[in-house]
Amino acid sequence: MAGAGGGGCPAGGNDFQWCFSQVKGAIDEDVAEADIISTVEFNYSGDLLATGDKGGRVVIFQREQENKSRPHSRGEYNVYSTFQSHEPEFDYLKSLEIEEKINKIRWLPQQNAAHFLLSTNDKTIKLWKISERDKRAEGYNLKDEDGRLRDPFRITALRVPILKPMDLMVEASPRRIFANAHTYHINSISVNSDHETYLSADDLRINLWHLEITDRSFNIVDIKPANMEELTEVITAAEFHPHQCNVFVYSSSKGTIRLCDMRSSALCDRHSKFFEEPEDPSSRSFFSEIISSISDVKFSHSGRYMMTRDYLSVKVWDLNMESRPVETHQVHEYLRSKLCSLYENDCIFDKFECCWNGSDRMFDRDTRRDVTLEASRESSKPRASLKPRKVCTGGKRRKDEISVDSLDFNKKILHTAWHPVDNVIAVAATNNLYIFQDKIN
């Protein structure tokens, strides 16, 4: 979904009509840095949607159930819980400030009535329990209803406490804090299919954690050279295979992807598979290395394919073919002419994400047609169909086309999530969360 700032994730398919569903967030021209959304993630059922921001907050939205009296509200997401996940810290040993910004959120599969999620900033990962309370106990023996202790001499008979209904309260409580394991900034967390372990990756190392053990992790990848002057690449993203608990991949700033198997060795510095597309020498430029860096990698739900995102394209790889991707989709080729100015304002270092829809389709992969939509409040009437917008680079343009020169690079879409079952997309543009869905939804 290419946004007004030229970025984000390719939208899926032309075989149905996308329409605007809702937008969350204040309409301020002057957006506070702390309110900028830094990650978006649906849970496994798609009933909950979590966002994290640069101020360290997590906001969870819950999907409304179907309501006969309000037929148009079906599928709307409303605020369910808000809590402060991370606070700013200071590393006194290195004299470094540690930002509270939430880099990633990952949900755990639901095992009981409560929900669990992992959230991380640059250094510390936290496991949160989100639970509901709609009853409270009354009639304690040792204290009054207001919590004050009763005089033991006034207690003449034993009472049996009873549960009474109360207004629904959603509580977020930190259950585990996983800290002090990363020297560099954490860029990825991924929950394993065994539901017991997860990985966390920074620029040079990947650690494996057990969800019950906070004081130690196991280092499974370490690409740090003995001499830091010999450093040629960094880890940009890492993810576990959706079904095989021993397999994970990680991508690098050199545009390569390594697949590792934890059965072959405990330290996975030697990969099992290496995915790289040879570069066309004729298209090489000063910016080639920067724009070939992979910013995101995602396995398909089936586990057969993976999708990678670099600055200008999305590539789909078959795990059985390492030499080249099976599909390459140009996302915003019109930015190629703007690389100089994007380099000057640092936007060339933006890290875009990619996502699969529930049936592992991205774009309309049969017809290979893509659609560019714009996330803006101007077109934000509920159920309003979104008109595809084309960005043009030439001088002349048609009425519905946008000139590449008029793009506001501050309004880019970096974070996006696709509902696990339905055609519902959540995209974050600065402090606003836009939700789009197909007409049928």
Side-chain angles (χ1 to χ4, degrees), residues 346-410:
D346 280 354
C347 287
I348 201 166
F349 301 106
D350 286 337
K351 292 174 172 50
F352 296 113
E353 294 173 3
C354 56
C355 57
W356 295 88
N357 82 346
S359 59
D360 287 347
R361 292 163 65 88
M362 173 228 54
F363 280 88
D364 194 344
R365 290 179 56 206
D366 301 327
T367 63
R368 300 186 59 97
R369 287 181 302 172
D370 63 278
V371 52
T372 302
L373 306 172
E374 185 178 14
S376 73
R377 283 185 178 267
E378 281 72 65
S379 57
S380 57
K381 290 186 181 68
R383 322 282 309 165
S385 294
L386 291 167
K387 286 193 186 125
R389 307 294 301 267
K390 196 169 180 212
V391 181
C392 66
T393 49
K396 281 189 177 179
R397 61 187 178 93
R398 294 192 190 127
K399 196 177 89 174
D400 59 341
E401 288 183 339
I402 306 165
S403 164
V404 69
D405 298 318
S406 69
L407 290 177
D408 180 354
F409 296 116
N410 292 318

Side-chain angles (χ1 to χ4, degrees), residues 53 132 155 167 190 289 318 433 436:
D53 65 24
E132 292 184 355
I155 303 171
D167 290 340
S190 176
E289 279 191 24
D318 187 323
L433 177 71
F436 304 112

